Amino acid sequence: MRFQSRRIADLVQSDIRAMTQECKEQGGINLGQGICDTPPPSVLLDNLIPAVNNGYNSYTRFDGIQPLRESLAAKVKRDSGLVLDPETNFVVTSGTTGAFTCIINALSDPGDRILMFEPYYGYHMNAAVLAGLEPVFVPTRGEDFSLDVDSLEKLAKGARAIVVNTPSNPSGHVFSRQELETIAEICQRYDLLCITDEIYEYFLFDGYRHISMATIPGMWERTVTLAGFSKTFSITGWRIGYATGPDHLMLPIGIANDLYYACAPAPLQYAVARALDSLGPDFYSRLAEEHQQKRDLFCSTLARVGLTPHIPQGAYYVLADVSKLGCRSSKEAAMYILDKASIACVPGSAFFEEGRGEHLVRFCFGKDDSTLERACELLEQLK
Ligand SMILES: Cc1ncc(COP(=O)(O)O)c(C=O)c1O
């Protein structure tokens, strides 16, 4: 097509959006896209209109309003023990997606190699390609997609950065301290920047604990952590996220954020700050418990109908083995499930290098209970 950049030419519309469209046309239940339809906390909503009425309607500082940067510093201290400076260690961004875009454009150059574990989150891969980077996919191993040290060792030399996503979308893997320490050692040996997407930090099951890479000895100076509130507060449309790390990395990220987005939406920043200050630890533990129940319900249904689930340790997605459907590709399997059971999912090929993941599809179970129960009933038709 004329006027199209070479960088975007290879990027097709993501399978996730394509399945969403197809599902709408068929009137099915969408377990494809990672949209949570559980209600946002009321303290968040209650503070939005007051924020607008109290004048939070202009551009904010490029790195976010002070109350939010302070709330974020308090949150990080509570969760990981790191004592950070709200003035210099945070950039509030237009969602975690915005943070990722700013990070890769501020801290790497076109042609650089960026490592990401497979299965990967499609936006990480596509955003890297659009920034002119060369993604290098690091295979994982076993039922739970854990770290394959040998593969990482082989691929690390010469790379500029590595993306860690824990808990992971789509695999649900939660990196253990030992795995993080191994990755950390490799980052230090090969002088890699570590970009760690921890947006699902509170979605943890079966006693798995979230550990931030930034807390691993020797990693703070080379690590940028990104996260956001789309999932924790069920506000995917608000677009509030942040990046945090040492001053020398935050400065260029802030410049990129200013250029691309000017700032994150002002009144929404304020409401998020108020919610962060008001919600106690029980809010976050309830979130984990509720999603573990959803996981258990959904995974037991998958197992019953023969779509063997890779039981996730965190986040709210499950990769299921669809070999029993006898389809030639994961796209065909996803279409079959939509036709037969009116459930949209994402073909496994969306998370792997070409030719891999064809026996898998991904379902999102971050749905309200009645939707999920109805989806389970519909899935029974695949028995
Ligand atoms: C791993 C991961 N990072 C980032 C995002 C997007 O987050 P945000 O809505 O804050 O841009 C998602 C959404 O699905 C995700 O799964």
Side-chain angles (χ1 to χ4, degrees), residues 64 107 120 147 153 169 251 260 273 287-288 296 316 330 351 374:
L107 305 180
Y120 53 76
L147 178 67
E153 283 276 2
N169 170 12
L251 211 60
Y260 285 137
L287 196 66
D296 290 345
Y316 53 51
S330 57
F351 312 105
R374 177 76 188 123

Side-chain angles (χ1 to χ4, degrees), residues 34 95-98 121 124 165 169 197 199-200 228 230-231 236 239-240 317:
T96 313
T97 308
Y121 170 56
H124 289 157
N165 174 210
N169 170 12
D197 181 338
I199 190 171
Y200 297 104
S230 287
K231 315 290 171 168
T236 51
R239 316 309 306 129
I240 303 285
Y317 306 94

Side-chain angles (χ1 to χ4, degrees), residues 13-28:
Q13 192 199 30
S14 96
D15 282 337
I16 302 181
R17 284 192 192 283
M19 284 302 291
T20 297
Q21 189 52 33
E22 190 74 37
C23 180
K24 241 189 210 150
E25 280 161 27
Q26 298 205 18

